[in-house]
Amino acid sequence: MVQIHDKSFGPYISADEIRQKVQELANQINKEYEGKELIFISILNGSFMFAADLMKCITIPCEISFVKVSSYQGTNTSGRVDELIGLNTTIDHKHIIILEDIVDTGITMNKIFNYLSSFEPASLKIASLLYKPDAFEGKHKPDLVGFSIPNAFVIGYGLDYNEHGRNYDAIYKLIEN
Ligand code: 5GP
C-alpha cells in the first residue's frame, strides 16, 4: 500500500504487467507503421513514463515531441481556446500517434485531437495506457489501449494525485473509506 497526502492506494497493475503490455503495444506499432513517417506526440505531464518505455521498444524510424495542453481565455464566442504548447515539429502529411497516460471522459482528448487534425496529418491515432470506458463520453476512443479499467482513481507510472505519486513503476488504485 502507498500513502500520498491524505489518501491510501493499493496495488492494481504491476510493473511486470505494464512492461509486457507496453512491449505488445510497441510490437503492434512496429508492424503497422513500418515504412511510414511516424511522429509520437506525448501529452505531458502524465505520459512521460509510458512514452519513455514505449520508445525503447520501438524499432522503426520515428520522432517524438512532448507537448502540454494549454487553455486560455480567447476572443471567440465559446470563450476558451485550447492549443498544444511545445509542438516543435511539422506534422502535416505525417503519421501521428498521440501518447496519453489515461483517457477518462475523453474531453481532454477531444481538444487534443481537434487541434492536431487541423494540421492535416496523414493519419492520427491515439495510444493510451489506460482507458475508462464507463466514464467515456468523448468523440475519439483510443485506438491502442494498454488496460481498460473501471471508474476508479489510479496513480503511479506517471499518474499523480496532487502532483505526487508519478514516480512509482506500478499503478495503484485509491482505497475508498
Ligand atoms: P479526461 O476526463 O478529459 O479524459 O481526462 C482528463 C485528465 O484527468 C487525464 O489526462 C488525467 O490527467 C486525469 N485523470 C483522469 N482519470 C484519472 C485517474 O484515475 N488518475 C489520475 N491520476 N488522473 C486521472
Side-chain angles (χ1 to χ4, degrees), residues 103-106 110 131-142:
V103 174
D104 184 20
T105 64
N110 278 354
Y131 172 47
K132 295 184 189 170
D134 298 340
F136 187 76
E137 49 185 67
K139 290 201 188 84
H140 309 285
K141 280 192 188 156

Side-chain angles (χ1 to χ4, degrees), residues 8-22:
S8 303
F9 296 82
Y12 188 47
I13 305 173
S14 71
D16 269 350
E17 286 174 282
I18 297 172
R19 224 182 336 267
Q20 199 179 323
K21 189 61 78 173
V22 167

Side-chain angles (χ1 to χ4, degrees), residues 29-40 55 57-64 94-95 97:
I29 293 168
N30 287 331
K31 216 186 278 173
E32 267 181 43
Y33 287 84
E34 188 159 22
K36 293 180 176 166
E37 216 170 332
L38 172 61
I39 305 180
F40 291 101
M55 282 298 275
C57 304
I58 295 294
T59 52
I60 56 173
C62 63
E63 290 178 42
I64 187 163
K94 295 178 182 167
H95 295 270
I97 299 178

Side-chain angles (χ1 to χ4, degrees), residues 100-108 132 152-155 159-160:
E100 253 298 24
D101 52 346
I102 190 161
V103 174
D104 184 20
T105 64
I107 290 165
T108 309
K132 295 184 189 170
F153 187 78
V154 293
I155 60 101
L159 290 140
D160 74 307

Side-chain angles (χ1 to χ4, degrees), residues 86-101:
L87 189 65
N88 56 1
T89 183
T90 52
I91 62 168
D92 45 319
H93 313 304
K94 295 178 182 167
H95 295 270
I96 309 300
I97 299 178
I98 303 167
L99 299 179
E100 253 298 24
D101 52 346

